[in-house]
């Protein structure tokens, strides 16, 4: 097969026909151009069996041959191609490709979708073809014939000295290698002053360093990196070091390193990775299997669709593949590395787009991505670096014209693009999508699937779970799940209906329903298709490395706790400020609730003692407790209403961000700070409206000169404690619809246990239970200031007084402290309940 010599920008590459080469601005691509007119992943050069071709991947400014814009051009000696502009765009000169050598044609199952579509002689292969696929060619690195600073070192392929291939990399050649000398320190990072510069925003500016000791041993030392340094998938303690053995693999961002002799070999994950599921079985309570022995291998840089009827385990499979809910049995292998055991490192290379949008719809597209980038990238990433990456993703997905629009104003297909854009920020090699076309019309369905096709062609592996069967033809592979969670078919989509013997997918799904007891998995495993596409799934042994105890594998966070908290607070404030309806309700609700208390005549609602001048005994003032009851209920309802939906409506966002390194406590504290501030201000408004128009004591217990504010403090604290109870409810329920009945029930219970409707003190059991209610302590705190034991005495037992209502500073302090303690206890329970909505592999 002929080699191709490519000249551009004064450099020369010799391309091997056994692999394809990516062109673009992506520093991790094969041939890199530093020109803004060239797209991030502009195109691909490959040998299609008859000759060399360049395929444009939908670049923004186009590819030009002979002055005409082209999507595909055949390359021969003397061909000139311009990228981005027909006249002065980066120029490619090609030579030594005259002899198009006839090469054996790969079957359709071995070619990616783009190559199959470009081949005019391609047609679907009927079942019963060859029983064994030939092994894919070994990828190699383009060899630059000059040795300038930007040239990648040529590597002959394979480890030096005949060393065995690294576990987890098969026969893949290193991207580059670096010479190592004893006693030397080699630093890795994003900053240009490092010995090994890694152009990856997941990597800190000064990330880690290798130390070679005089006795010949080697260690890796973390330099306080934000996303962590990993040895065999396990994080190195922040600022700590780990000695390396001869087979150990060091992970830094999308790059991995291993030492072979006196050479450090680097492997950059650009998407050329394998992914496979091996014998996945998921068993739920009662021993029922909802996923049964699922095995399949995903070709690199391909689009795979997963379909099946309801109850076939598609969602369970997706959770097992991503580590959100690991299978009880079996392995998920990313480049032959166990995802479950090395989740801390590999999670950075996997993107997940759930069925629900993973962004705040109240924000603009650009602002939503800005906060996501701030949370996911290291703290030492500059604003310009983050913005540059956001702009690249927006241009790649053709969202730049919509960047200033609110997410809520976009169409369903555009919103899905924004969710994909959020995941692409960190350049994942593998992207999972759960029902991305659900609820979309056929046109948008096609647009989304074409988007995924483009992502795969640009060098990513994409796996999509879908109910739609209209666009399956553009996929490289199709996985069909049968009822009960077993595999019924895996292979090219164009052969699937022929395999089942039906004319439409409606007939196939009807057969699944009508013959639920049929052994679909057995039929699949006994077929020639199984031998062609899945029989060799266990041929390569997964990487076997020593792993530390599970409690030691705690993924680092890309941002410090304080930095995450500040970002989350700013984002939450932006969300609230963008929701005009919520802002209006925030003011109107407490104003209305406070104004209700004014319906009680001010003369009858005196909040001070009135003494009978003839007897010297205070007049009973029952309306004072009524006024306080109304204000307390208003504060309870306003506080709980603010928070009762907050966690449930963001659950999908939290689940995804938690998997990428979000701190649970920082997330919870951002809610407490923002909602707490809103609720406290609402409590102040309720108190001022309710108390300011009435006669109150001239001197307070604590604030001698400001009785009004002293009376408002318990109402404000009650609102805050009720807000914390609302967060508990929001973390417990499974759907937002269940929050309203619980909110009403909470408010009614608070009314009963205020102590204003009937005497609580002395009622055994009921009084003790009332201590769990924030309204009990808030009314008591206000009652101490107003001296309730005198103006609202116990009429059933005139000699009995409620100690929580004693007109003393100590009683007031106890009541307020109890409100704070209740809020803290609620916060503890919310943090525990949030753990249920995190990837299970992280909980373990």
């Amino acid at each position: 097969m002929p080699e191709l010599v490519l000249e551009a920008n004064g450099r020369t590459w010799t391309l091997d026909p056994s692999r394809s080469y990516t062109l673009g601005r992506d520093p991790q691509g094969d041939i890199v151009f530093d020109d803004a007119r060239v797209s991030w992943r502009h195109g691909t050069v490959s040998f299609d069996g008859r000759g060399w071709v360049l395929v444009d991947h939908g670049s923004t400014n186009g590819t030009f041959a002979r002055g005409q814009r082209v999507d595909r051009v055949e390359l021969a000696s003397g061909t000139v191609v311009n990228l981005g502009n027909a006249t002065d765009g980066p120029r490619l000169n090609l030579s030594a490709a005259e002899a198009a050598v006839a090469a054996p044609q790969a079957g359709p199952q071995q070619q990616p979708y783009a190559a199959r579509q470009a081949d005019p002689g391609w047609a679907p292969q009927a079942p019963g073809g060859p029983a064994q696929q030939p092994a894919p060619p070994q990828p190699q690195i383009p060899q630059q014939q000059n040795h300038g600073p930007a040239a990648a070192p040529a590597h002959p392929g394979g480890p030096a000295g005949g060393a065995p291939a690294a576990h987890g990399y098969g026969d893949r050649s290193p991207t580059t290698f670096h010479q190592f000398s004893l006693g030397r320190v080699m630093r890795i990072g994003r900053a240009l002053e490092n010995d090994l510069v890694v152009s990856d925003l997941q990597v800190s500016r000064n990330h880690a360093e290798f130390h070679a000791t005089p006795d010949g041993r080697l260690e890796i030392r973390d330099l306080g990196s934000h996303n962590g340094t990993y040895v065999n998938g396990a994080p190195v303690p922040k600022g700590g070091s780990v000695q390396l053995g001869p087979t150990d693999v060091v992970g830094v961002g999308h790059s991995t390193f291993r030492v072979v002799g006196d050479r450090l070999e680097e492997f950059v994950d650009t998407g050329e990775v394998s992914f496979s599921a091996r014998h996945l079985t998921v068993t739920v309570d009662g021993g029922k299997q909802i996923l049964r022995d699922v095995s399949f291998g995903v070709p690199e840089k391909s689009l795979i669709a997963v379909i099946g009827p309801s109850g076939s385990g598609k969602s369970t499979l997706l959770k097992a593949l991503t580590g959100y809910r690991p299978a009880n049995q079996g392995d998920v292998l990313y480049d032959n590395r166990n995802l479950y055991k090395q989740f801390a490192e590999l999670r950075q290379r996997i993107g997940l787009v759930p069925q629900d949008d993973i962004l705040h719809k109240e924000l603009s597209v650009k602002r939503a991505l800005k906060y996501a980038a701030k949370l996911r990238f290291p703290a030492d990433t500059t604003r310009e670096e983050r913005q540059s990456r956001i702009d690249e993703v927006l241009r790649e997905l053709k969202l730049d014209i919509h960047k200033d629009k609110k997410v809520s104003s976009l169409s369903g297909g555009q919103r899905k693009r924004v969710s994909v854009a959020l995941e692409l920020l960190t350049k994942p090699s593998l992207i999972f999508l759960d029902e991305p076309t659900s609820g979309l019309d056929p046109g948008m369905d096609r647009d989304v699937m074409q988007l995924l096709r483009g992502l795969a062609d640009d060098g990513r592996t994409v796996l999509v779970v879908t109910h739609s069967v209209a666009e399956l033809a553009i996929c490289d592979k199709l996985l069909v799940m049968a009822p009960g969670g077993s595999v019924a078919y895996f292979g090219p989509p164009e052969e699937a209906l022929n395999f089942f013997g039906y004319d439409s997918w409606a007939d196939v799904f009807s057969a699944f329903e009508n013959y639920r007891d049929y052994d679909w998995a057995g039929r699949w495993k006994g077929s020639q298709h199984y031998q062609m596409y899945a029989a060799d799934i266990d041929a390569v042994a997964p990487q076997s490395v020593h792993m530390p105890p599970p409690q030691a594998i705690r993924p680092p966070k890309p941002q410090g706790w304080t930095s995450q908290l500040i970002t989350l607070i700013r984002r939450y404030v932006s969300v609230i400020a963008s929701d005009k309806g919520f802002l209006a309700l925030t003011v109107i609700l407490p104003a209305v609730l406070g104004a209700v208390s004014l319906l009680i005549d001010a003369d009858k609602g005196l909040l001070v003692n009135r003494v009978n001048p003839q007897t010297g005994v205070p007049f009973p003032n029952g309306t004072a407790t009524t006024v306080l009851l109304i204000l307390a209920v208003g504060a309870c309802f306003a506080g709980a209403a603010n928070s009762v939906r907050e966690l449930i409506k963001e659950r999908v966002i939290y689940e995804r961000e938690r998997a990428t390194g979000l701190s649970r406590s920082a997330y919870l504290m951002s809610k407490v700070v923002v909602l707490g501030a809103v609720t406290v201000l609402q409590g102040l408004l309720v108190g001022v409206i309710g108390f300011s128009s009435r006669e109150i004591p001239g001197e307070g217990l604590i604030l001698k000169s400001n009785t009004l504010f002293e009376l408002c403090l318990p109402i404000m604290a009650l609102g805050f404690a009720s807000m914390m109870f609302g967060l508990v409810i929001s973390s417990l329920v499974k759907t937002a619809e269940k929050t309203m009945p619980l909110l009403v029930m909470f408010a009614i219970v608070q009314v009963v246990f205020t102590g204003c409707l009937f005497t609580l003190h002395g009622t055994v059991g009921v009084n003790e239970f009332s201590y769990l209610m924030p309204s009990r302590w808030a009314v008591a705190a206000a009652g101490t200031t107003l001296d309730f034991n005198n103006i609202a005495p116990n009429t059933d037992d005139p000699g009995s007084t409620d100690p929580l209502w004693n007109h003393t500073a100590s009683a007031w302090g106890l009541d307020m402290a109890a409100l704070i303690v209740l809020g803290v206890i609620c916060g503890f329970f919310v943090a525990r309940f949030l753990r249920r909505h995190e990837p299970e592999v992280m909980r373990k």
Side-chain angles (χ1 to χ4, degrees), residues 85-129:
N85 187 282
T87 55
D88 61 352
R91 180 185 179 111
L92 308 181
N93 296 305
L94 303 116
S95 60
E98 303 94 331
V101 178
Q105 291 297 313
Q109 69 276 11
Q110 299 158 289
Q111 302 180 22
Y113 170 81
R116 283 186 271 142
Q117 294 298 89
D119 184 356
W122 171 81
Q125 176 182 343

Side-chain angles (χ1 to χ4, degrees), residues 15 18 23 124 210 212 305 347 399 414 429 489 540 642 694 714:
L15 309 186
S18 63
L23 296 81
F210 287 97
R347 64 175 181 158
L399 286 170
Q414 290 169 343
S429 300
Y489 173 83
V540 180
N642 285 340
R694 304 183 184 279

Side-chain angles (χ1 to χ4, degrees), residues 716-786:
M716 297 158 66
L718 174 59
F720 181 85
S722 299
M723 181 271 296
M724 296 301 295
F725 271 90
L727 289 178
V728 172
I729 295 173
S730 191
S731 65
L732 279 174
V733 297
K734 294 184 178 180
T735 60
E737 289 75 15
K738 295 180 180 179
T739 58
M740 294 312 296
L742 293 175
L743 173 62
V744 174
M745 183 179 70
F746 171 77
I748 291 175
V749 171
Q750 298 309 306
V751 171
V752 174
F753 289 98
T754 55
C756 297
L757 297 180
F758 59 91
T759 302
L760 291 172
H761 178 64
T763 308
V764 179
V766 176
N767 186 44
E768 286 72 21
F769 182 76
S770 71
Y771 294 159
L772 300 176
M773 306 298 153
S775 62
R776 170 76 160 113
W777 299 98
V779 169
T784 59
T785 300
L786 297 174

Side-chain angles (χ1 to χ4, degrees), residues 267-550:
F267 299 80
V268 179
D269 185 350
T270 58
E272 293 179 345
V273 295
S274 61
F275 183 81
S276 61
R278 299 190 180 183
H279 309 294
L280 299 183
T281 299
V282 174
T283 306
V284 295
D285 296 339
K288 180 182 178 182
Q289 289 186 346
I290 55 178
L291 209 62
R292 299 182 181 181
D293 193 26
V294 174
S295 297
F296 63 94
V298 175
E300 63 185 37
K301 299 184 178 181
S302 57
L303 174 60
I304 298 90
V306 180
I307 65 172
S310 299
S312 58
K314 299 187 300 296
S315 297
T316 302
L317 175 62
L318 189 66
K319 292 178 181 179
L321 294 176
T322 55
Y324 272 62
R325 201 289 188 191
N328 302 100
Q329 300 175 25
D331 297 308
V332 175
L333 303 181
Y334 179 99
D335 212 12
N336 291 333
R337 302 171 67 185
N338 192 303
L339 175 64
Y340 297 158
K341 293 182 179 179
Q342 303 187 34
F343 184 79
E345 176 186 356
L346 298 180
R347 64 175 181 158
Q348 302 177 24
R349 308 186 191 183
I350 295 176
L352 173 63
V353 181
Q355 183 173 349
D356 297 324
D357 294 326
I358 50 177
L359 33 82
H360 294 87
K361 298 178 182 179
E362 299 84 0
L363 301 178
S364 67
V365 172
K366 190 173 183 177
R367 178 165 289 190
L369 294 180
K370 181 187 78 171
Y371 288 121
K374 179 70 173 173
L375 288 172
R376 297 192 182 194
F377 289 142
D380 60 4
T381 307
T382 64
R383 179 180 180 182
E384 290 72 21
E385 288 176 313
R386 292 194 301 269
Q387 191 58 55
S388 175
R389 179 59 189 154
I390 291 171
D391 291 341
E392 289 169 358
V393 171
L394 289 174
R395 285 195 298 270
E396 180 179 359
L397 298 182
K398 297 179 174 58
L399 286 170
D400 45 344
I401 60 175
H402 303 295
K403 63 182 180 180
D404 295 321
K405 296 179 182 178
K406 279 190 176 183
V407 176
S408 58
S409 67
L410 301 178
S411 67
Q414 290 169 343
R415 284 203 303 271
K416 194 58 62 177
R417 282 178 177 265
V418 179
S419 293
V420 173
L422 190 150
E423 291 300 308
L424 291 186
L425 289 175
T426 54
K427 298 184 181 180
S429 300
L430 183 63
I431 303 177
F432 293 93
L433 300 100
D434 186 12
E435 300 285 356
T437 61
S438 177
L440 301 183
D441 61 51
M444 289 184 179
D445 181 357
R446 181 182 58 190
D447 290 343
V448 171
M449 293 301 292
Q450 290 288 355
L451 164 68
L452 303 184
R453 177 72 260 167
L455 295 179
D457 292 338
D458 279 348
R460 307 174 184 93
T461 299
V462 182
L463 188 147
V464 53
V465 174
T466 179
H467 276 110
S468 175
V469 296
E471 303 295 330
L472 295 180
I474 71 172
C475 300
D476 295 300
K477 289 289 188 294
L478 175 65
L479 176 67
V480 182
M481 300 294 293
S486 58
V487 177
Y489 173 83
F490 179 72
E494 61 270 8
E495 299 180 18
L497 287 176
N498 190 29
F499 171 81
F500 287 108
Y502 291 98
D503 296 328
S504 69
W505 284 108
D507 294 332
V508 175
F509 281 25
S510 294
F512 283 150
E513 181 65 28
N514 296 331
Y515 305 102
R516 299 187 69 89
D517 295 332
Y518 182 76
D519 186 7
W520 294 101
R523 179 178 183 271
W524 157 242
K525 291 181 179 179
S527 68
Q528 291 183 348
H529 283 71
Y530 177 79
Q531 297 298 322
M532 294 167 63
Y533 306 120
D536 60 348
I537 191 66
D538 295 318
V540 180
Q543 177 185 10
S544 178
V545 296
H546 171 72
M547 298 298 295

